[in-house]
Amino acid sequence: MNVWMSLIVSLIAIGAVVVVGAIGGLVPALHPVFGVVIPYAALAVFILGFIWRVLRWAKSPVPFPIATTAGQQKSLPWIKQDKLENPSTRWQVVDRMILEIVLFRSLFRNTRMELYKENGKLTYGWQLWLWAFALAFHYSFLVVVLRHLRFFLDPIPLPVTLLESVDGFLQVGLPSVMISGFVLLGAVGYLLVRRLYVPFMRYISLPSDYFPLFLIASIAATGILMRYVVRVDVVGVRELTLGIATLNPVVPDGINFLFYIHLFLVCVLLAYFPFSKLMHLGGIFMSPTRNLRGNSREFRHVNPWNYPVKTHTYDEYEEEFRDRMIEAGLPVEKQPAESGSATDTESAEDSAE
Ligand code: HEM
């Protein structure tokens, strides 16, 4: 697909989602559908889709250790193993995995090769901005989602309240400013601008790259609008969300249509999630290049589905040609007497003569 077409298609798609959400919010008769039915359906698609994807990955055969390694594998005792880069035990794999998941270590180590035309020098440069913004994006998303638990749990658990007070520590104005929401929007903005600005990123970007970014940016933007600009009836929202959580749905009147846009965007995100690149959330745990041990020097891994190949071993070869080998004066491993067959014995005698 043409580079700009990918962007335009995604913009049209996100525009359509916003319009449908707005209609759902503006037409009171549709509130039960957009406030209850669609959220439940989206949640069901998310959960079932997620399980289906993970099971499909789990079923894929992985006959060999194909861990991505960047260090010395465990081999002879006097050769120092790099336990982090080339883990050979399950715990070492867990250590590496934790650093990957919590700190995006491989992204931190990502470098880009560039050839400077002026002096013809080849250099490897750090790509730390991508790492920093990716971290900011994922952590702010996590914090925002955790803070939203206050809508679904009653009483609000202490950790959620604590998280809220840490996130709002700047205490700017009323309602207090939640930093994570703005960090989320800023980080999505960076990821989007990077795709559009860097020519080779633009070249490889598809609607499936832009759409999730637009979706998450729109969720954050409508959330921020609801909190700081168009105040929504949070009590009504909580009634609705607690109803959903307790399987006792109620649809209160008077909630601003912006809330329905926000909610519909979230539903689309949930339903889209299992079929999109966002599934790397589950995929990271299932990735054989990350979750396997680099132990191919310690153990011989035999492909369990090798089909039986008809082989002809040296023993069988010698058994077949022993007479002629002896005749030709070639060395044999077993003398005819040892091999035990009558023919062999006869031929040995023949040759002795
Ligand atoms: C992927 C999930 C979601 C994301 C990323 C998200 C993001 C945000 C953000 C960034 C804000 C701005 C204020 C803040 O930082 O807290 C916000 C506010 C809000 N969100 Fe969400 N949201 C999500 C899911 C939901 C859901 C499922 C609901 C309810 C069903 C909801 C209801 C609200 C409401 C009512 C506000 C205004 C809060 C206030 O005025 O204090 N959000 N959201």
Side-chain angles (χ1 to χ4, degrees), residues 7 20 32 51-52 59 75 94 97 103 113 129 136 162 208 237 241 251 253 260 270 288 297 324:
L7 183 69
V20 172
I51 294 174
W52 170 71
K59 274 199 214 152
S75 57
V94 170
M97 203 71 149
L103 293 176
M113 191 173 69
W129 284 117
L162 285 178
S208 54
V237 169
T241 47
V251 186
D253 290 334
Y260 284 94
L270 282 176
R297 288 187 190 158
R324 281 180 240 171

Side-chain angles (χ1 to χ4, degrees), residues 150-172:
R150 82 190 147 106
F151 290 117
F152 297 92
L153 301 173
D154 191 36
I156 301 170
L158 186 64
V160 175
T161 318
L162 285 178
L163 188 64
E164 227 164 39
S165 48
V166 173
D167 200 358
F169 81 104
L170 281 183
Q171 304 256 321
V172 185

Side-chain angles (χ1 to χ4, degrees), residues 13-246:
I14 202 69
V17 174
V18 171
V19 170
V20 172
I23 294 172
L26 289 168
V27 180
L30 291 176
H31 286 180
V33 177
F34 280 77
V36 177
V37 179
I38 294 178
Y40 276 135
L43 196 63
V45 173
F46 175 75
I47 295 171
L48 295 177
F50 203 104
I51 294 174
W52 170 71
R53 286 294 298 265
V54 169
L55 286 182
R56 243 183 43 167
W57 279 323
K59 274 199 214 152
S60 316
V62 185
F64 296 119
I66 52 167
T68 324
T69 58
Q72 182 64 49
Q73 189 178 132
K74 185 175 180 202
S75 57
L76 299 168
W78 43 271
I79 300 178
K80 193 165 180 286
Q81 179 200 359
D82 192 332
K83 291 183 180 148
L84 199 56
E85 298 300 354
N86 206 332
S88 64
T89 65
R90 289 221 164 79
W91 281 114
Q92 287 167 11
V93 169
V94 170
D95 287 349
R96 184 164 82 145
M97 203 71 149
I98 289 175
L99 286 179
E100 185 63 34
I101 291 166
V102 175
L103 293 176
F104 301 180
R105 186 164 170 268
S106 62
L107 193 58
F108 179 77
R109 290 150 49 95
N110 177 29
T111 50
R112 189 192 297 162
M113 191 173 69
E114 264 175 291
L115 182 65
Y116 282 97
K117 289 211 180 91
E118 307 85 58
N119 53 15
K121 276 197 177 154
L122 197 63
T123 57
Y124 291 87
W126 289 95
Q127 290 285 295
L128 288 185
W129 284 117
L130 177 61
W131 170 78
F133 276 98
L135 262 189
F137 168 72
H138 285 83
Y139 274 103
S140 56
F141 196 110
L142 179 67
V143 170
V144 169
V145 169
L146 290 178
R147 274 201 290 101
H148 274 64
L149 287 178
R150 82 190 147 106
F151 290 117
F152 297 92
L153 301 173
D154 191 36
I156 301 170
L158 186 64
V160 175
T161 318
L162 285 178
L163 188 64
E164 227 164 39
S165 48
V166 173
D167 200 358
F169 81 104
L170 281 183
Q171 304 256 321
V172 185
L174 257 181
S176 58
V177 173
M178 293 290 153
I179 300 165
S180 56
F182 291 97
V183 174
L184 176 62
L185 194 57
V188 178
Y190 169 84
L191 296 175
L192 202 54
V193 168
R194 175 176 164 268
R195 265 188 196 279
L196 291 169
Y197 183 71
V198 181
F200 69 81
M201 287 303 299
R202 198 166 58 224
Y203 180 69
I204 59 163
S205 295
L206 296 169
S208 54
D209 295 306
Y210 289 120
F211 184 67
L213 287 175
F214 285 141
L215 201 53
I216 294 168
S218 315
I219 294 173
T222 46
I224 286 173
L225 278 178
M226 272 193 294
R227 187 174 172 94
Y228 307 104
V229 186
V230 188
R231 296 291 298 141
V232 289
D233 171 16
V234 181
V235 176
V237 169
R238 199 146 185 273
E239 227 179 290
L240 185 139
T241 47
L242 280 177
I244 291 180
T246 54

